[in-house]
Each structure stands twice: as C-alpha cells, then as structure tokens.
Amino acid sequence: MEKIIFSAENFNVKDTLECGQIFRFRPFGKGFLVFSLDKSAYCYNENGLAIIECEPCDKDYFYNFFDLDRDYAFIADLAIKSSFSTLQKSASAGKGIRILNQDSEEMLFSFIFSQNNNIPRIKSSIEKLCAFCGEKKCFMGVEYFTFPTANAILSAGKEIINGTGIGYRTDYVLTLAQSIVNGFDVKSLNKLPTAQLREKLISIKGVGEKVANCVTLFGYHRSDSFPVDTWIEKVYREDFSGALTDRKKITEFFLHLFGENAGYYQQYLFYYKRSLEKLEKR
DNA sequence: ATCCAGGGAGAAG
DNA sequence: CTTCTCCATGGA
C-alpha cells in the first residue's frame, strides 16, 4: 500500500466527501473508503494531516483525484474575505473542501440519478447499480463493486436498472448508455470551452441546466459552473435577498457575482446550507 | 396524508 | 419565449 500525505489545513476528508460532490464512499476505520471508476482508496485526517492510502499503481490517479496541486488556501481566503457574510461563514467552515477530479462519464450517469431526488437515495441507487452490473473487487479486506461501463449498463437492461429505484430516470440512463456504446465519447468533450460543453451536455435526454452544471464542475473541473438546486435557491432567497425564480438566471447571477471561482464558492454555500446551518443555530 | 429531495421533458399558454 | 404539469421513490 502506498501513502500520500498532505496537510489537513485545506483538506478535510469528511467535508470533502460529504459536501455532495461524490456518492461512492463509506465510513471505514479512521476515515472513509472512496471509490472512483474501478479504483479505491482509504482516506482520513490524523494529527493535522490528510492521508490517502491506495495501491501504488493508483497513486497518480488519486493525487490528481484529490486535486492536490491546487492552492485551496488561496481560494478559501478569497471567499472568507469577500463582502458576502454567508459566503464568509460557509468558506470559513468549509475551507477544507476540495473539488475532486472525478470521471466525467461516472458523473454524467450519477447526476442523471440526482434529478428531483435526495442524496441518501442517490447514493443507494448508485450502489445498487454498481452491485448489479459493476465488477466485484476487494480493497483492504472490503468487498466493493466498480462503476459499470456503459456496455454493462446497457446489457443489464430496463428491469435491472429500474431495480436500482431510480424510477422514471431509467430511460434516460439506458439512452445515454446506448449512445456511448454507439461511440459518443464523454471524456473527449473536455476539449470544449465551458459554454459549449454545457450546451452539449444539455442536449442529452435527462440532462438540464442544473445537472449539466454539476457535470461541468465535478466531472470536468470547470469552476465557472454554478449548479442551482433547491438548497442553493434557498441561499439565494434567504442570504442574497434574491427575487429571481428562473434557476438559469440565478446561475448567471452568481457566475457574474463570483467570477472564475464560482464553482468552489457554490460548494461552500451548498454544504453550509444543507448540512451546517442547522447545527449553528443553537 | 402531504411534502420534499443536488430537476427535466413535453405540452400549453 | 415563459409557465404548468407530470414524472417514481421513500423518508420525514
């Protein structure tokens, strides 16, 4: 097993995993097991450090996965010093959040699962998908399943995919899997600038403005993305006194307000609103 | 029982 | 162009 050791100052494992950007992880030992495609790692904070353990051949993958070359102290400080009090609080509480570099195809399928759904159910459905048509593997004595290929999803068929509990979204998933099998290369879209990338993603059935923004942010690391869901809409209404109701316009409002770091700030705000605010109000 | 969750497609206005 | 309705599912 190989270890990557990093300062915990801007790498809080729990916050990074629980802030809603990743669905495949589970508590284990001193921290969490994390799964991406067919790979796995064990991560935890200890003595002011963040530690990642993985197979030697996956070391480069997880170094990039956790975005370890980026200066998150700088990003968080800008937010903390901004003139928006909720952003200050959110960034101060969530300065250990890093935006992961996840696989774009895995993100695309995962966020199609997410529409009009909640995070615990999304996690459970994706786990079932992997169990139904992923490949069984073992890491540190724990059994897990890889994220399935489009081909495996397609051959699993309607009955099985619907067995994951995603209901009406089953058709979206199978249609996407079919088009990937037919040659649609999700990863190659990375060469497009963000606006065109987003437009291309929205042309996929089951992908609208919000899901496209999640995929550009979490699957292509485009920080000029700003997903607006029910939680961010609450932030907009309650903390920015917003009057707009069209979520696309709310996205544009925040992109204009926050600029190129909007995606990082969005994640601070989302995590704070969904998980932390209720804890502070007492 | 009704509402809500990291919304979007398609129809109607 | 904008707004409305319906969509499966399960936990609160």
Side-chain angles (χ1 to χ4, degrees):
Chain A
M1 207 62 59
E2 192 86 24
K3 277 191 187 183
I4 303 173
I5 299 175
F6 203 78
S7 165
E9 183 62 27
N10 292 99
F11 188 177
N12 182 297
V13 171
K14 179 182 166 67
D15 292 342
T16 295
L17 296 177
E18 291 186 345
C19 71
Q21 61 178 323
I22 179 169
F23 303 109
R24 295 177 60 220
F25 64 95
R26 62 175 92 134
F28 179 80
K30 292 178 270 189
F32 300 86
L33 292 181
V34 178
F35 309 103
S36 174
L37 291 178
D38 58 343
K39 306 172 202 324
S40 46
Y42 170 41
C43 336
Y44 51 95
N45 286 113
E46 188 176 55
N47 301 327
L49 298 172
I51 299 175
I52 304 160
E53 298 187 24
C54 64
E55 299 294 342
C57 58
D58 293 335
K59 189 174 179 182
D60 289 346
Y61 183 84
F62 282 109
Y63 186 92
N64 176 65
F65 184 82
F66 288 103
D67 207 29
L68 297 184
D69 275 334
R70 199 176 310 273
D71 187 354
Y72 280 86
F74 178 76
I75 293 169
D77 280 348
L78 276 182
I80 291 169
K81 290 172 185 155
S82 75
S83 55
F84 312 106
S85 65
T86 302
L87 179 60
Q88 292 168 12
K89 274 189 292 184
S90 307
S92 184
K95 64 182 180 186
I97 294 174
R98 311 179 74 81
I99 300 292
L100 304 172
N101 288 302
Q102 301 188 73
D103 178 75
S104 49
E105 189 174 307
E106 182 172 341
M107 287 298 94
L108 188 46
F109 279 114
S110 298
F111 278 95
I112 285 177
F113 278 43
S114 79
Q115 69 137 330
N116 200 27
N117 207 341
N118 60 63
I119 290 177
R121 287 196 68 245
I122 299 164
K123 285 186 66 171
S124 132
S125 291
I126 291 175
E127 255 172 55
K128 286 177 189 162
L129 177 78
C130 295
F132 284 147
C133 45
E135 197 181 318
K136 186 191 287 192
K137 292 185 78 171
C138 190
F139 179 74
M140 298 186 77
V142 177
E143 179 182 284
Y144 74 99
F145 292 88
T146 64
F147 195 84
T149 61
N151 205 38
I153 290 172
L154 191 59
S155 33
K158 192 163 189 156
E159 299 296 315
I160 291 178
I161 303 306
N162 196 40
T164 61
I166 59 171
Y168 67 91
R169 307 172 195 82
T170 298
D171 287 335
Y172 303 151
V173 170
L174 289 174
T175 303
L176 173 60
Q178 179 66 259
S179 93
I180 291 172
V181 168
N182 289 347
F184 173 47
D185 184 350
V186 177
K187 194 170 290 189
S188 76
L189 299 181
N190 192 34
K191 60 178 180 284
L192 298 174
T194 305
Q196 292 170 41
L197 170 61
R198 185 172 298 131
E199 204 177 323
K200 189 80 183 172
L201 292 171
I202 287 174
S203 74
I204 298 166
K205 191 164 281 191
V207 178
E209 272 295 327
K210 188 269 169 185
V211 167
N213 270 277
C214 284
V215 176
T216 55
L217 180 56
F218 304 133
Y220 297 89
H221 213 104
R222 303 302 174 89
S223 57
D224 52 341
S225 304
F226 201 94
V228 176
D229 68 332
T230 64
W231 295 103
I232 290 293
E233 198 174 340
K234 262 171 76 75
V235 171
Y236 172 71
R237 246 186 299 114
E238 297 173 1
D239 306 313
F240 288 81
S241 308
L244 298 171
T245 55
D246 184 326
R247 290 187 176 183
K248 180 171 184 179
K249 287 180 181 162
I250 297 174
T251 291
E252 287 162 1
F253 167 80
F254 279 117
L255 283 176
H256 183 256
L257 192 63
F258 293 155
E260 60 181 350
N261 285 333
Y264 302 105
Y265 297 2
Q266 192 273 0
Q267 212 47 22
Y268 297 144
L269 292 169
F270 173 82
Y271 187 51
Y272 180 77
K273 202 62 171 183
R274 176 175 173 269
S275 308
L276 304 180
E277 188 176 61
K278 51 180 78 66
L279 301 177
E280 286 195 4
K281 282 184 174 170
R282 58 182 155 79

